Amino acid sequence: MSELNRNFIAALNRKSQKIPPLWIMRQAGRYLPEYRKVRSNFKNFLDMCKTPEVCCELVMQPIERYDFDAAIIFSDILTIPDALGLGVSFVEGKGPIFSNPIQKPEDIIDMRTFNADNLDYVYKTAELTRRELDKNIPLIGFAGSPWTLAAYSIEGSSSKNFDLTKSFIENHPDDAHKFLEILTDACFEYLKRQIISGVDVIQIFDSWANLLSESQYLEYSLDYIKKLLKKLSADTITSQTPTIVFARDPKCDLAEFKLDDLSCYGMFTSVNRTHAMNIFEGSQSLQGNLDPKILLEDNKVIKESVSKIISDFADYPGFIFNLGHGITPDIDPDKVKVLVDAVREN
Ligand code: 1CP
């Protein structure tokens, strides 16, 4: 095993590194001209996700450009709702649109049963990429959290406030729980198949954690993340794979994520780093959390911000450098190079 792999996996195992391992959320994507070139060959984004050779090429793009310490499968969190027959497509400039969203409780009963085989294209991407990728670079597999998947599936699109989703859980709490159970089982089967196909680490994205009040968050999101982590750690095939949970601004105490079944907590931009270190106390490694907007600033600001984060975590056992949320399409790829050099030269 090379230095890089040892570093990333060791950091996930709560071992301090002189230079923190580095990858960035949404590292393959629209800010890269080489991504936009490949993307222009497909009308529907999901058709591109269903072409494993192309996805493999997209995973490799940021690795070749920046030599990141981890690669992430090129896919999307909405593959599961698509496999449930909810009819996901991506409309240019509008984001995801569902032709068959969950509008009423009966829609959950009528929904197609989840069959993990229907996401074969994702496992093929994992297999191809694992073969193509330097064996020393870990490959991250991922899923949306059950709550985040439910929010898109009920809303039928992205939204600022997800009002339809909020009223669904208020008016039909039992049905919402039924749906979340189905999604939890689907996430487990899906992640297990990704692991069988070669992914080395799992990240769960709770991107719409911020929609819920504290008590709602514990009930409708965290409880299902916990169930999913429990299933993963109880299964002989998946139990050894490190897990990362990234949650966007959840309204609960950070200590709620101090879970025996969790290897690493992914800090959103607004997380106070000292507070996080005091709460997690080395029980979980920590990942994050440079504000992606800093990449719009000049190089000096980027370098200073990177130094500050690295010095904050210098004594913490197991830190992985990342952004506090996904990189946005407006970022200049040269600024990412400034970030990468700053992390490694620090
Ligand atoms: O037209 C295009 O080019 C599509 C843009 C795009 C890309 C590049 C989408 C649509 N998805 C992706 C890839 C993707 N999505 C990856 C793999 C790439 C990588 O990370 O290197 C991953 C891990 C995701 C995960 C994802 N999809 C999340 C969680 C991460 C986060 O940023 O919070 C979410 C919320 C989605 C939904 C989604 N898919 C695509 C878009 C534009 C969105 C967001 C829609 C919204 O604003 O609600």
Side-chain angles (χ1 to χ4, degrees):
M1 245 191 217
S2 85
E3 199 67 7
L4 286 182
N5 191 343
R6 278 210 307 274
N7 286 354
F8 185 70
I9 300 296
L12 286 168
N13 287 314
R14 274 85 70 197
K15 305 242 164 41
S16 189
Q17 310 295 309
K18 221 168 131 235
I19 300 173
L22 161 71
W23 69 284
I24 64 177
M25 288 189 282
R26 312 292 289 261
Q27 63 193 17
R30 288 169 290 181
Y31 74 106
L32 289 178
E34 57 270 37
Y35 169 84
R36 295 195 298 270
K37 185 154 177 264
V38 173
R39 175 73 177 88
S40 68
N41 298 323
F42 294 84
K43 198 160 179 290
N44 186 349
F45 171 73
L46 265 193
D47 290 339
M48 185 167 80
C49 292
K50 291 175 184 174
T51 316
E53 295 75 16
V54 171
C55 291
C56 174
E57 182 187 347
L58 295 173
V59 175
M60 302 305 289
Q61 287 178 347
I63 304 300
E64 280 159 9
R65 201 188 248 263
Y66 303 112
D67 197 19
F68 284 127
D69 297 307
I72 181 162
I73 291 287
F74 191 89
S75 186
D76 197 77
I77 61 168
L78 299 180
T79 51
I80 287 181
D82 187 55
L84 288 168
L86 305 187
V88 181
S89 60
F90 285 82
V91 176
E92 198 62 54
K94 273 204 179 149
I97 302 284
F98 288 57
S99 58
N100 214 2
I102 300 297
Q103 292 174 317
K104 50 187 190 306
E106 301 80 74
D107 294 341
I108 298 168
I109 298 160
D110 294 343
M111 195 174 68
R112 190 188 291 162
T113 303
F114 180 73
N115 176 355
D117 290 343
N118 290 342
L119 296 172
D120 233 22
Y121 60 90
V122 179
Y123 322 134
K124 284 228 170 64
T125 295
E127 276 168 27
L128 274 181
T129 309
R130 197 49 287 176
R131 239 179 286 149
E132 176 86 12
L133 192 65
D134 185 317
K135 69 179 190 319
N136 300 309
I137 299 182
L139 181 60
I140 303 168
F142 69 90
S145 72
W147 162 250
T148 289
L149 297 182
Y152 280 113
S153 303
I154 295 168
E155 205 68 25
S157 67
S158 190
S159 158
K160 194 155 180 275
N161 299 315
F162 282 77
D163 291 330
L164 293 175
T165 306
K166 286 179 187 164
S167 47
F168 191 98
I169 62 169
E170 268 157 38
N171 296 331
H172 312 289
D174 294 346
D175 301 288
H177 282 298
K178 231 183 280 160
F179 188 32
L180 288 161
E181 287 289 351
I182 293 170
L183 290 168
T184 305
D185 290 342
C187 287
F188 168 67
E189 295 298 328
Y190 182 48
L191 292 171
K192 181 170 173 177
R193 294 287 294 271
Q194 291 185 39
I195 291 168
I196 291 169
S197 309
V199 311
D200 306 291
V201 174
I202 290 296
Q203 175 152 324
I204 298 164
F205 287 94
D206 198 5
S207 302
W208 290 106
N210 59 320
L211 296 175
L212 299 171
S213 69
E214 175 167 15
S215 64
Q216 284 176 322
Y217 187 72
L218 301 180
E219 179 179 346
Y220 290 98
S221 187
L222 190 60
D223 223 32
Y224 293 94
I225 291 176
K226 285 184 185 171
K227 283 186 185 164
L228 177 55
L229 291 172
K230 273 236 153 12
K231 278 172 173 285
L232 289 166
S233 61
D235 185 283
T236 47
I237 290 175
T238 58
S239 63
Q240 297 308 308
T241 305
T243 49
I244 307 169
V245 169
F246 166 79
R248 166 174 164 186
D249 205 15
K251 299 294 177 278
C252 66
D253 198 306
L254 273 188
E256 297 285 352
F257 290 94
K258 202 171 172 183
L259 304 166
D260 287 345
D261 301 312
L262 181 64
S263 318
C264 177
Y265 182 69
M267 297 174 290
F268 180 66
T269 306
S270 61
V271 170
N272 178 291
R273 294 187 279 274
T274 307
H275 179 62
M277 286 187 278
N278 288 336
I279 294 285
F280 286 99
E281 297 176 294
S283 302
Q284 275 67 34
S285 54
L286 290 168
Q287 173 175 282
N289 74 340
L290 181 77
D291 186 344
K293 286 202 196 75
I294 295 286
L295 294 170
L296 294 166
E297 304 282 337
D298 62 34
N299 295 355
K300 187 163 171 283
V301 175
I302 297 174
K303 286 179 194 166
E304 283 168 3
S305 307
V306 167
S307 287
K308 175 80 176 72
I309 294 178
I310 289 182
S311 73
D312 283 350
F313 285 107
D315 297 322
Y316 191 82
F319 171 61
I320 296 156
F321 199 101
N322 205 313
L323 301 178
H325 201 180
I327 188 167
T328 48
D330 56 344
I331 301 299
D332 175 352
D334 291 344
K335 296 290 188 179
V336 177
K337 181 75 171 96
V338 172
L339 177 151
V340 170
D341 290 345
V343 171
R344 291 181 175 154
E345 284 161 11
N346 219 275

